[in-house]
Amino acid sequence: MFDWKLALEAIGMVIYATFMGFIFMGIERKAMARIQRRIGPPIYQPIIDTLKLLGKKESVSHGLIYDFGPVFALGASITALLFIPIANFQLFSSNADLIVVAYLLEVPMLGIMLGAMSSGNPYSALGVQRGLLTMVAMQLPYGLALIALIQHWGTFKLSNIVALQQVHGWSITVPALLLAFIVFDIVFQALLGLEPFDIVSAPAEISMGPMVEYGGKHAALLFTQHAVQLFAETAFFAVLFLGGASNLLELLVKQIAVLFIAIFVASIYPRFTIDQAAKFFWKWPTIIGIIAVLLTM
Amino acid sequence: MVSVLKRSLAIITLLIIGYWLAQGLAGVPFGQDKMLVGHYYLDHVKEQTGAVNAVTAIVVNYRGFDTLGEVTVLFIASTGVGALLWERKKRRTAKTEGSIVLTTGTRLLVPFVMLFGAYIFIHGHLTPGGGFPGGATIATAFLLLYMAFTMYEIPHKAFEKTEGLVGMGYVIVGLIGLAIGGYFLFDWIWQTWGWGHDNIGRLFSGGFIPIIYILIGLKVGTELSGIIDNMLKEGVKE
Amino acid sequence: MNELMIMLFAPLVAGFIAWALDVRGIREAVGVLGTLVPLGVLAKYYSTIAGSNPEVVTQTITVGGFKLIFQLNTISWYFATIASLIGVAMAFGMVSTSRSSYEWLFALMSYTGVLGVFLSGDFVGFFLFWELMTFASFMMVLKRSRHESLKYFVLSVIGAYAMLIAIGILYAKIGALDFGTIRQALYMDAMLGSISKSLTALVFLLFLTAFGVKAGAVPLHVWAPGAYSEVDQSYTAFFSGALSKAGAYGFLLLYILMGAKLVAALGIWHNHMVFSYIIAWLGAITVVVAGFLAVLQEDIRKLFAYSSVSQVGYILLGLGIGTPLGFTGALFHVLSHAVFKGLFWLVVAALVLRTGKTRFEDFGGLAEKMPITFAMSLIAVLSLAGIPPMAGFASKWLIYEAAISAHMPLVAGAIFLGSALAFAYVVRFLYAVWFGQRPSDLEDVKEAPLPLLIGMAILAIPNIVFGVAPGLVTEYLGKFLGNPVGGNYYKLVTPTGTYNALLVAVLLVFGLAIAGLIFIYGAKTRRIPVTNTYQSGNPVTEDYNLSMRRNFYRPLAEALDFWLKYSWDRFYERLAGIAEDFADFLREGFYNGNVQSYAWYLAVVLLILALWGVL
Amino acid sequence: MSVPNISAFYFGAISLILIGLYAVLVKKNILKMLIGLSIMETGVNLLLISIGYISGKSAPILSEGIEPNQAVDPIPQALVLTAIVIGVATTAMTLSAAIVLYKHYGTLNVEEIRRLRG
Amino acid sequence: MNGQYASLLIALPLLGAFFVPLIKGLGKKAIKTYVLIITAIQTGIAAWVFQQVYSTGKPIIVMAGGWRPPIGINLYIGHFAALFVLIVAIASFLMAVFNFKAIDVEPIDKYAMLFLLLMLGATGMIATGDIFNLFVFMEITSITAYALTAYNKTGEAAEASLKYMILGGIGSSFFLIGVALIYGATGTLNMAQIAQLAGNIDPTVAQVGLALIVFGLAVEAELFPLNAWAPDAYQAAPHPITAMFSAFVVKAGLYAMARILYLMSSVGTWHNVLKLLVVMATLTVVVAEFSALRQRNVKRMIAYSSISQVGLIALAFALGTQAGVDAGVFQMINHAIIKALLFLGVGYVAVQLGGADIENFHGLGRKMPVTAFGITVGAMAAVGIPLFNIFWSKLRIILATVEAGYTWAAFLVLAASVVEAVYYFRLIHAIWFEGEGERISESIPLVAIVVALVILVVAIGIYPNYLWSVSQKAGSDIFNVAQYIKNVPLMGVGA
């Protein structure tokens, strides 16, 4: 019963996604540098960093849960990835719908939190607190955007949504869903932990937030997780609002487009403090979200 | 200022209540014959109870139960007063001896007053009045003695015993009625034994009414004087 | 006496025996036995209830002129089994945490009360066991604190009496008390409309208060934190696991008995039944408000109390949606909430038993000391936060499906916010209790005693089993809801979405495998104790024990300070104060000791009689 | 709302009752209240008797000269006999209570006798 | 032993009371045992009468003096009277046992007499079939009550009894006016005949007469504005007497009111008398409950609670429906049991620990466990917790009230019973979970009584069927006036 074709596709997709994830991280750093009129590292720099971290002779660990955290995070990201219909590979998306994927995208957060908390470092605890608060803050608009989407298309299944978008045109062409797109875009910043909402791992303040205690292969795992997460998020964004893609190349273009929007926004805005972020999320994005939802009722 | 308001308010309230009562009484016209059970009593009192005085017949025979209750009420009153004013040792509070007129007058009058009281309750079934007025007159005799002499005290131990005995007597008469006639307070003398049927209107008639009235007379006399005795005394601080 | 009665009164009798004997060993044994009997009887009846030709088991007894009907149909079997499952877990928990026979008596009495509520087929029995349940749980709280217990009792008695008046009105209008006749009469009445609209609204409001208090809907949730935390914690597993479900059962009963009539009376608005829309919004507000309050708590028991209120809010929300899918989601959440909340409370019981502390700042770093309890709490955390392979997620997913497909977007938005808050306060619990630096006085903490661990295991297994195979529950619930959810044991298929629990679990394992491989191929790791992190090797002394256990979510509190000014608690305290002052005023005013004024009262009555007579 | 035309006896009885009630309602001294109480009782007794009276008929003593249909209604008279004794009993009890009260409180003013209240 | 021997119910206590002065010299203990024996015999007779009436199903008509009603006075011992005379006898017997411990103020012989006559008064009020005889027995009960309230001879006792006397005096005078009016209109004093003639008497007279009689009896039955004397009387009276007050004295007044109310049901303005009574009864419940909320003296608190529960019974009677009356009777029986239990417990604590203030009740669970347990069960039953007896009767009353259309009354009554739950559970908390103290020995007979009453309360709570059937029969005895008239062998008297 175990169909080999699907398994191979899955493994291939995981490798492709990891690789492309690192490239996206590279593009992100490169574009940010370019905007700030400096050269910036080559786009394959993250791959080199990860391999360097993996190659370290010895890695420090603070107990079982400290190790289990990053492993669980990466595993969850991979699972989430496999449920998103990427270009023409349906993978397992027929078995889960939008809500399941949205939740699976948030599960890695728990893995990172577990690891960070068990490290015993107060800064990582501070990072955990900020990460959680951001998640709480952005959850409402995030939900409203998804609900508007579901109500408009009338189905939860990602594959159906992609099919419908092929037929009726992309989601952003619908005015109500445009509002949802804007909300989702703002929330997307927080999901990726980019500039206005990167308080979670605020580099200047608490150096990498929750990951402060991580080094060696734990850091490598977290970097891979971040890459897969990045790829999955952008793919998810593309599937929902930009009508998915018939082939990988078209998907890649859309993902990079989304990425660039995020990078431009990130490079302009200063950092919000946590309660400012919460207040902000509960003001404008929520209002727009509610309008979008009421329009699509 | 408040009391004037209160008084006027009271008057208004009472007038309205009075008007309401008057309206109610208007439905019961004064002086008309409203009797229903009364006629039966008047027609049959002679041959059923042998008493000439219908009121006494009703009080003792027809509605004997009321009177039994009535006697209990007075008994409760005297016990209650006794209980409330009870002191271990009590003595009279009177300071001044009665004047010559009073003392000699009492010495002369007391036996006659007592006799008259006895007369009232013995002839209860013939003449107006009965056990209660008779007993009250006897009590006035004792009151006279109290007013006249500062040291006089009624033998209250003996009086309490008589009260008890006489009360029991009344109930036993009722129980005999139950035993003989099958009904509590049944006038077995008049109904079953049929004594005194021939001399209605004379002393030995009226079934057990005279007996009961004698008992009531003694009881009321002792009780009222007991009450007077309790009230006229003060506790002795040992 | 057929099994139904044995099942119903076994816990009560066991409670009395345990209370009377009061011998250390026997008391626990009798207690546990008392809780096992109902579970056994229910298991025996599973085949008749859920078998091929399901038939309802009924038993009627006449008590004091009332005919009490006890029936076991699919719904009551479902609720009764959940309650008895939690009951057994509670009994195992109480074996190690409760010292006095007083607690055994009233715990088992409340157990009979809950079973009675679920099994009774007429309003008198329902009201009797409802009062019994409230009274028994109140006595458990009375032992520990007067203020909290009185607050709990007054609110739930107000609810019970509101229900009594509603029952009275129905009895006056229909003349019968048993559910069958009432349901039939109200169904007919929906067309005829002999019961007026306003009267139906009044009855609905009264029932809403009664069941709202017990389920802990927002305006009436004030008793929950106090009552849940002031009781022997393993009993709270039952208190919040099973007793709050009586409230949910009440709402379900409302639908069954008066559904048609309420729709006819209160009408439809934007194709939502008005009365169910009210219940949905009640649930949504409860979820959000209780979630925010839970996040800001400093005491571990208060946190879980508010979290329990918020989770019951989900159930109300599910019921409020009104579609068969909504009912399935709500009833599935009844099971999952009972199971993971029961587990949490047993974990709290273990913590309180071993450390004797209840505030977050006193805990820390217990993961090594109590590994099994930590593992159990991790399962409970995953389930409550709604991480996919767990039962919590399955029921929450169903409620999402129902809410959005029933076009109730804002309510669905509330669930999103609620589940995020759930995630936040559950992770906060993990951090404050299990990780970080361990305070010195917790060094000698031992693992929880065996019976407590058994209790936890009893509740942990269903979490996983129903998480991976949610079809079992939806297929059973489908029996009386006209199976809105298709798919087999491990895959839920609704008209608008699917969720393959087994596949998610398998892929999660697959992902972990990949990550694990990467981890193993990396360098070998050197184990360092938690203490020498930011001190670069120097031992972390007590005063340097920097940890963020106290007011972990201070920024959120600042963001919400506008809303936090108002508190329902203070509002009710003021109300009670006003009532007591009114009582004093009444007493001083009326019985002022002066005979004359008493005589005046008589005169006034005479005046009233006179005026009324004269007019 | 016509003023009801009732006979003098009823009017007398009702006014006695009202005067008694007035005393109880207004007077401050306990003894005066008790006197008011006994006035009321006498008023009631008078009312009871006057209800039984039939104008132009004699007392219900059926000695030789008087026929049954010439007698007044005997029942109220029997009732009054009991009511008077009850009146005596109540007054005796109230007075003895007043005596005990005075011994303990030292005053008979209704305002001051208020230890038991609330 | 034909029915007439039921008159022993009245004769025996009377004979016993009159006999007491003769044995005065034998000392306190002898008198108390004497009272115990008399009440025991009375219970025996009452049980015989109860068995007689309930087995044959026909009421016993005792005709005093052999005269058939309406000529003579008749005692109508129907289902209700038989039941309640038994309750009066049993309660008096229990309190006679309590006398040994509770009474040591001096004139014990006078106390014994008053004790027996109080029992007599209540029995008479319940059994009588004649309204003036009802007045006499009401007077017997009230005057004994005045005397017994003032029995402790303290300042408070005298004050309480004076208040009771003045209000009782006014009440009974107006009752007598009512009787006079009814006699003036109908010409008879027998209740059955009045019921027959009530239809065609002048409506204003009937309205005034009925209103006055109900007013007079309402003072005795402690309805709202008229019950100002009750808390003081309950608090100041000796403990066994307070128990008797709340167990049956009040109820005798309430029964008499209900009996006359339903007899005159054919009077035109009957329905709005009922409405007024419903309002007064509900106010009684509410005011009494609220006044009990912050009581420092536990005895006064339970007095208020007893007044409010009696108000509940009055509400049940005032509904005017068969279900209401049955529920009222059922509540009467249950209330008698738990109030006897509560006052016995509180009284015994007051005797042992000196005074009934809440401070003495702190840690009572450790000092006097059995009494504390009795009080707790009594309190829990009073609140209406299931598995206790009041739950069933309160449920019946509420259902009957709502059925009769007085939903607002049911609402107020239930709000009041929430208040009742608060102050009772504060008491329970004070008893069991506050304060400390070492064990004090408790007297065996009282412990036996407390345990017996507790078992009774729980037994009725678990199996109320028998008592409910009894109260249904008793309820129909009051409500079904036509049957009452048929039972009484009226002579065809009249012009």
Side-chain angles (χ1 to χ4, degrees), chain B residues 17 20-21 23-28 34-41 48-49 61-73 75-88 157 160-172 175 178-179 182-187 191 208 219 223 230, chain E residues 2 4-5 7-8 10-11 14-15 17-19 21-22 24 62-67 70-73 75 106-107 109-111 113-114 117 120 130 132-133 136-137 139-140 143-144 146-147 150-151 153 161 165 174 177 181 183-189 193 197 202 204-205 207-208 211-212 491 493-495:
Chain B
I17 294 171
W20 179 50
L21 286 179
Q23 213 181 18
L25 280 169
V28 180
K34 302 179 276 297
M35 284 198 288
L36 183 69
V37 185
H39 288 299
Y40 179 89
Y41 284 140
Q48 279 186 345
T49 60
N61 201 330
Y62 286 114
R63 297 181 66 85
F65 218 59
D66 274 354
T67 322
L68 186 67
E70 183 34 47
V71 162
T72 346
V73 165
F75 179 73
I76 297 162
S78 86
T79 350
V81 167
L84 278 176
L85 306 180
W86 185 86
E87 297 292 341
R88 199 162 295 288
K157 277 271 184 308
E160 266 175 23
K161 287 215 172 15
T162 41
E163 266 172 55
L165 267 174
V166 163
M168 275 176 58
Y170 191 166
V171 177
I172 285 163
L175 287 176
L178 182 65
Y183 295 100
F184 187 61
L185 290 173
F186 179 71
D187 183 358
Q191 306 272 25
F208 67 179
K219 191 162 179 20
E223 263 151 19
N230 273 319
Chain E
N2 63 23
Q4 293 313 315
Y5 279 85
S7 52
L8 279 180
I10 303 291
L14 212 54
L15 207 64
F18 289 139
F19 189 68
L22 306 183
K24 202 158 89 123
V62 171
M63 289 180 277
W67 309 106
I71 304 305
I73 295 171
L75 290 184
E106 206 17 60
D109 63 315
K110 298 214 170 10
Y111 174 81
M113 286 187 255
L114 294 171
L117 291 172
L120 166 77
D130 179 288
F132 188 77
N133 194 253
V136 170
F137 276 115
E139 277 312 304
I140 292 176
I143 298 176
T144 17
Y146 305 153
Y151 183 73
K153 288 190 274 304
S161 100
M165 286 178 207
F174 276 95
I177 301 170
L181 273 173
Y183 175 72
T186 55
T188 164
L189 289 168
Q193 200 166 23
L197 305 172
D202 172 348
T204 47
V205 173
Q207 191 260 337
V208 173
L212 284 177
M491 276 167 65
V493 165

Side-chain angles (χ1 to χ4, degrees), chain D residues 23-73:
Chain D
V24 171
L25 289 181
V26 171
K27 284 293 170 247
K28 285 281 167 279
N29 186 321
I30 293 268
L31 286 185
K32 288 191 179 127
M33 287 173 90
L34 301 187
I35 294 163
L37 214 60
S38 50
I39 292 170
M40 194 154 66
E41 260 139 33
T42 31
V44 168
N45 293 344
L46 177 61
L47 183 72
L48 205 56
I49 284 291
S50 52
I51 279 186
Y53 178 72
I54 304 165
S55 48
K57 293 200 176 167
S58 78
I61 313 282
L62 303 177
S63 49
E64 292 76 13
I66 299 170
E67 288 316 314
N69 53 30
Q70 285 162 342
V72 172
D73 183 351

Side-chain angles (χ1 to χ4, degrees), chain E residues 11 20 40 62 81 87 104 110 122 126 142 196 198 232 263 271 276 327 331 387 450:
Chain E
V20 168
V62 171
I87 288 176
D104 47 21
K110 298 214 170 10
I126 292 164
S142 348
Q196 272 176 341
D232 306 346
L263 284 183
H271 282 290
L276 182 72
Q331 171 81 352
L387 294 187
V450 165

Side-chain angles (χ1 to χ4, degrees), chain A residues 57 97 103 129 156 217 293, chain C residues 401 409 419 496 500 523 526 552:
Chain A
K57 195 155 52 53
D97 64 5
Y103 261 71
Q129 179 218 16
F156 283 73
K217 59 181 177 184
V293 152
Chain C
E401 290 280 324
S419 57
T496 52
N500 185 331
R526 186 158 56 80
F552 192 77

Side-chain angles (χ1 to χ4, degrees), chain C residues 452-493:
Chain C
L452 202 54
L453 289 179
I454 299 170
M456 288 187 205
I458 292 171
L459 290 183
I461 294 159
N463 257 320
I464 300 162
V465 163
F466 293 126
V468 174
L472 288 170
V473 179
T474 45
E475 187 252 342
Y476 175 83
L477 290 175
K479 285 198 175 33
F480 62 89
L481 287 172
N483 40 42
V485 181
N488 42 34
Y489 285 149
Y490 50 82
K491 181 170 177 175
L492 301 180
V493 175

Side-chain angles (χ1 to χ4, degrees), chain C residues 25-323:
Chain C
I26 304 163
R27 177 181 60 200
E28 275 68 16
V30 167
V32 170
L33 198 69
T35 47
L36 282 172
V37 164
L39 201 59
V41 170
L42 283 169
K44 185 170 96 63
Y45 272 111
Y46 177 72
S47 55
T48 50
I49 300 293
S52 51
N53 48 17
E55 36 92 12
V56 177
V57 179
T58 54
Q59 154 86 17
T60 56
I61 50 171
T62 54
V63 176
F66 293 113
K67 197 159 69 63
L68 298 186
I69 304 159
F70 295 104
Q71 62 183 2
L72 193 62
N73 52 30
T74 37
I75 314 172
S76 53
W77 185 87
Y78 180 74
F79 274 91
T81 326
I82 297 171
S84 38
L85 193 71
I86 310 288
V88 169
M90 165 196 80
F92 276 106
M94 276 177 77
V95 163
S96 42
T97 55
S98 109
R99 283 290 161 272
S100 77
S101 61
Y102 172 97
E103 283 170 0
W104 275 102
L105 169 67
F106 287 112
L108 289 169
M109 189 189 279
S110 68
Y111 188 17
T112 303
V114 170
L115 283 182
V117 163
F118 292 145
L119 292 184
S120 63
D122 73 302
F123 266 122
V124 174
F126 187 82
F127 180 70
L128 180 116
F129 285 103
W130 184 278
E131 283 257 327
L132 188 70
M133 164 178 78
T134 319
F135 165 68
S137 47
F138 159 73
M139 289 307 274
M140 290 290 282
V141 184
L142 181 69
K143 181 171 160 57
R144 306 275 175 119
S145 114
R146 190 183 84 161
H147 178 72
E148 293 306 336
S149 55
L150 275 185
K151 196 192 319 182
Y152 167 55
F153 192 73
V154 167
L155 269 173
S156 31
V157 157
I158 286 171
Y161 285 150
M163 175 161 60
L164 184 59
I165 293 181
I167 294 169
I169 293 170
L170 286 180
Y171 178 63
K173 277 284 181 282
I174 298 164
L177 279 170
D178 61 303
F179 290 161
T181 347
I182 288 182
R183 179 174 167 189
Q184 189 56 28
L186 283 177
Y187 188 73
M188 300 305 296
D189 193 83
M191 275 73 80
L192 311 174
S194 69
I195 305 179
S196 75
K197 242 189 246 307
S198 58
L199 199 65
T200 339
L202 173 69
V203 168
F204 173 62
L205 188 70
L206 289 173
F207 274 127
L208 204 67
T209 18
F211 303 136
V213 164
K214 188 49 77 178
V218 164
L220 308 163
H221 69 292
V222 171
W223 57 273
Y228 286 165
S229 40
E230 288 300 336
V231 169
D232 164 7
Q233 292 315 322
S234 40
Y235 173 69
T236 337
F238 186 76
F239 198 170
S240 87
L243 257 62
S244 56
K245 300 305 165 298
Y249 180 73
F251 277 103
L252 191 64
L253 208 61
L254 212 56
Y255 275 92
I256 298 168
L257 290 184
M258 300 175 63
K261 179 65 190 165
L262 281 170
V263 168
L266 302 180
I268 308 275
W269 179 79
H270 287 299
N271 59 47
H272 301 309
M273 295 184 282
V274 166
F275 82 95
S276 69
Y277 203 63
I278 296 168
I279 298 176
W281 268 106
L282 199 67
I285 295 162
T286 317
V287 163
V288 172
V289 167
F292 274 119
L293 288 174
V295 163
L296 303 174
Q297 290 305 326
E298 281 312 307
D299 183 322
I300 189 169
R301 301 168 307 180
K302 289 263 186 321
L303 182 133
F304 284 117
Y306 276 113
S307 124
S308 176
V309 169
S310 144
Q311 295 299 329
V312 172
Y314 276 103
I315 301 171
L316 297 192
L317 197 138
L319 289 175
I321 295 163
T323 58

